[in-house]
Amino acid sequence: MFDTFRSSAKLINTFTGHTDCVNSIDFLTFDDGQFICSGSDDKTVRVWNVDNNKQIQSFNGHSGIVYCVKFSPYHYHNHRQNIICSSSFDETIRFWNFKHNKQLQIFNGHTNDVCGIEFSQFNGGRYLCSGSNDKTIRLWDVKTSKSLHVFNGHEDGVWCVDISPLQSNNDNNKSNVIGVIGGNGYSICSGSFDRTIRIWDIETTKQLNLFKGCEYSVRSVKYGSNELLNTILSGSADNSVRLWDIRSGKQIQLFNGHTDTVLSVEYSPFVIKNSIGDNSNVICSGSEDNTIRFWDVRSNKNQLYMMEIGEIVSRLKFIELKKKVYANKKKSNDDSCINLFYGLKNGLIRVWG
């Protein structure tokens, strides 16, 4: 699967409109249409129709850099509303209705730049976590617009957060399956300028893990899923990509090769045959060294593949698109294809597939 991507993939689209670094990209399908949203250093949130490559909305309400954007699963599943959530260096989190071109609500509480945000995988995305340069992580109830808890422990700004995709299978959680907010067994992962990665239990609000090893700030963290469920992937300003084991609390792989800060890491949908004949997952990283690199998750040897981009790669996202979008792609028995979207320092969003 990865070999096919490596041999046949090419640049197939560019979205233009942002005038500064693209920090975040998210994807949503509704009414048989395909849309991405993006946030940028130019202080705007933009929405694009992927099917015709057109920008359909731009929100200019933030007074600072927009660092992260997410389509709200809570509003979509509960109210059939198409809402974007954005975090900004203006210390706020805002919700935008892009169909009706208006701001829906605003979360105040952080006292410094709000960086990464992520919706819960449980309760239909009702809960949102956010990391801030005020050194805290907050958990918000989207339904009531209230801050439920402030997680303290980091010694410097929190740059990135993620929420576990599935409940852990620890025996300690079985005595309280439901939990107070329905998040028992779920956790938040955070990466910080204090060079640590921490995991927090959502129900008990306690810190579960502390990972040390990065020599500089942690700029991106991601939970694994399926066979990689108990792993955390990280990118750091020490130029490294690292894989951590949640159960043992230890680093299990170190991927060296980047020559500048790693800004974005992702578990890719690709697999390869490794040296012993087994399938192995492929991870991906984007960096200030102007490259995107792919790595075998089971090997800390040289990267599988490197894409020379010619510009700082600030954000990566793998998106499965319907093939009708790009008619020039070869047809197969499947009506969808995996595309790599990436945001650049110069404000462009490009699609590789």
Side-chain angles (χ1 to χ4, degrees), residues 5-23:
F5 176 85
R6 179 171 56 182
S7 62
S8 62
K10 59 184 178 181
L11 180 65
I12 56 178
N13 199 17
T14 301
F15 294 89
T16 61
H18 283 298
T19 58
D20 210 333
C21 181
V22 177
N23 297 310

Side-chain angles (χ1 to χ4, degrees), residues 318-333:
F318 288 95
I319 297 174
E320 185 174 358
L321 294 177
K322 295 179 181 178
K323 286 194 175 179
K324 67 176 183 180
V325 176
Y326 301 117
N328 60 336
K329 288 190 66 64
K330 295 179 180 179
K331 292 184 179 294
S332 70
N333 293 329

Side-chain angles (χ1 to χ4, degrees), residues 114-285:
V114 188
C115 304
I117 53 174
E118 189 66 45
F119 284 93
S120 65
Q121 301 287 319
F122 58 91
N123 279 16
R126 176 173 169 175
Y127 302 99
L128 177 79
C129 74
S130 56
S132 169
N133 274 330
D134 65 12
K135 306 179 185 179
T136 71
I137 301 115
R138 284 181 180 257
L139 186 68
W140 307 83
D141 186 335
V142 178
K143 182 178 181 179
T144 64
S145 301
K146 292 182 178 180
S147 176
L148 297 177
H149 186 74
V150 181
F151 298 84
N152 289 287
H154 278 295
E155 299 172 359
D156 207 336
V158 179
W159 195 253
C160 46
V161 292
D162 198 14
I163 293 184
S164 58
L166 295 170
Q167 288 179 305
S168 67
N169 55 6
N170 294 335
D171 291 337
N172 294 338
N173 293 319
K174 292 181 180 178
S175 61
N176 184 11
V177 176
I178 298 176
V180 178
I181 64 173
N184 193 67
Y186 290 90
S187 59
I188 294 169
C189 177
S190 55
S192 168
F193 277 88
D194 67 10
R195 308 179 187 182
T196 70
I197 299 166
R198 299 171 192 247
I199 297 179
W200 314 82
D201 186 280
I202 287 179
E203 286 290 353
T204 67
T205 70
K206 293 181 179 179
Q207 181 177 299
L208 299 175
N209 297 70
L210 171 62
F211 297 105
K212 295 183 177 181
C214 293
E215 298 174 15
Y216 296 106
S217 60
V218 181
R219 305 301 294 272
S220 183
V221 290
K222 293 288 179 181
Y223 278 99
S225 58
N226 300 322
E227 64 268 29
L228 296 172
L229 176 61
N230 291 297
T231 63
I232 298 286
L233 184 63
S234 69
S236 169
D238 65 9
N239 309 344
S240 72
V241 177
R242 299 171 191 258
L243 193 67
W244 310 83
D245 186 275
I246 297 172
R247 291 166 297 186
S248 68
K250 296 180 179 180
Q251 176 183 300
I252 52 177
Q253 289 287 17
L254 170 62
F255 306 96
N256 284 311
H258 282 295
T259 58
D260 210 331
T261 298
V262 179
L263 296 175
S264 184
V265 292
E266 288 287 344
Y267 294 87
S268 86
F270 305 125
V271 294
I272 59 167
K273 289 286 186 181
N274 62 27
S275 58
I276 60 174
D278 293 333
N279 285 336
S280 188
N281 295 88
V282 176
I283 58 177
C284 184
S285 52

Side-chain angles (χ1 to χ4, degrees), residues 19-54:
T19 58
D20 210 333
C21 181
V22 177
N23 297 310
S24 185
I25 303 168
D26 200 19
F27 175 73
L28 179 68
T29 300
F30 67 90
D31 294 339
D32 202 35
Q34 303 179 104
F35 301 86
I36 61 168
C37 64
S38 54
S40 167
D41 277 9
D42 66 12
K43 305 178 185 179
T44 68
V45 176
R46 298 175 189 248
V47 187
W48 317 80
N49 185 323
V50 179
D51 296 315
N52 60 22
N53 305 335
K54 291 183 178 180

Side-chain angles (χ1 to χ4, degrees), residues 253-255 280 295-302:
Q253 289 287 17
L254 170 62
F255 306 96
S280 188
W295 317 83
D296 179 351
V297 76
R298 294 190 183 184
S299 171
N300 58 7
K301 296 180 180 179
N302 292 336

